[in-house]
Amino acid sequence: MMMASRQGAARLASSMMLVSRSFSTATARGIVAKEAVPAKVVGVSWGCCSYEYWHGSTASYSEKDKQQEKVNHGQAVAEGCDKAEEKNAIVSYWGVPPSRVTKEDGTEWKWNCFRPWETYTADLSINLTKHHAPVTFLDKMAYWTVKSLRWPTDLFFQRRYGCRAMMLETVAAVPGMVGGMLLHCKSLRKFEHSGGWIKALIEEAENERMHLMTFMEVAKPKWYERALVITVQGVFFNAYFLGYLISPKFAHRMVGYLEEEAIHSYTEFLKELDKGNIENVPAPAIAIDYWRLPPNSTLRDVVEVVRADEAHHRDVNHFASDIHYQGRELKEAPAPIGYH
């Protein structure tokens, strides 16, 4: 009896626990399901709203940010340029700031090697065929010295007139500097004026150097041509220096003949351009500004003005030699300053 009651009590307890567990699980599931659905909906709804809001906020922020980045970039570039200019600018304690030069149209002048007031329009009407016939011994020696120098030049450059012009100008720029330097020293030694010839000869040397700077933009010298320039310049400078000390009339006469050869070389240069054997490229910017050429000028226009310059140098040096031949000094005749 007691055993039966114990078994019944155990079964009753087991049934109650089973019902309790079933009820608890069902209730829990119902609660979870009941709360999970709104949570899921709310979660999705919140997620979409958040995404849309976040997405809309990001688009707005990105647009503003891009605009701000452009502004910041522009400021950074401007500041960078200012810093670069400040870095490249030469700061001097001595208060000698570089002058800011502008053209007639207000744009900034970009050349430091010459200024707007040093530019000019070449006189193309000059007689290119004038020639001084050698009569005296010194004249003949000067004439044949130049002719002997032409043979190796023709052999080396042949019809490469761009490189030939470049080499010619490295030599042609030496006599004016040497003559001007020696006259300068003579003026200091003798406490006398030079009649303007120092300036005239230095001006000639500078003009010849500008020819070289121009042709450097057209023909790029090779390494062996640069080596040749160093050799020729070293020999010619010292030889002309001694020649001018010994006989200025011989030195100037030789330069006069040298300029006659330059006129001939540039005339041949023009013929090759007209035949189409050399490309008639646009004129370098430095040539357009220096000779005040039209913006659409070509290499042919540059060669013409350079040839005119050489004709003027021919006249100046033959004139200087004639002064010495007449037993006078250069200071006694007004120098042809600005004769272009």
Side-chain angles (χ1 to χ4, degrees), residues 35-56:
E35 293 179 357
V37 171
K40 185 176 182 181
V41 172
V42 171
V44 171
S45 300
W46 177 85
C48 291
C49 293
S50 174
Y51 177 76
E52 290 176 358
Y53 174 79
W54 177 78
H55 179 71

Side-chain angles (χ1 to χ4, degrees), residues 92 238 240 244 253 258 283 294:
S92 174
N238 289 284
Y240 189 80
Y244 202 98
R253 187 69 77 200
L258 188 65

Side-chain angles (χ1 to χ4, degrees), residues 181-192 245:
M181 177 186 66
L182 291 175
L183 287 180
H184 175 75
C185 293
K186 180 180 179 181
S187 176
L188 298 178
R189 287 195 312 270
K190 294 191 173 183
F191 305 95
E192 62 184 16
L245 285 176

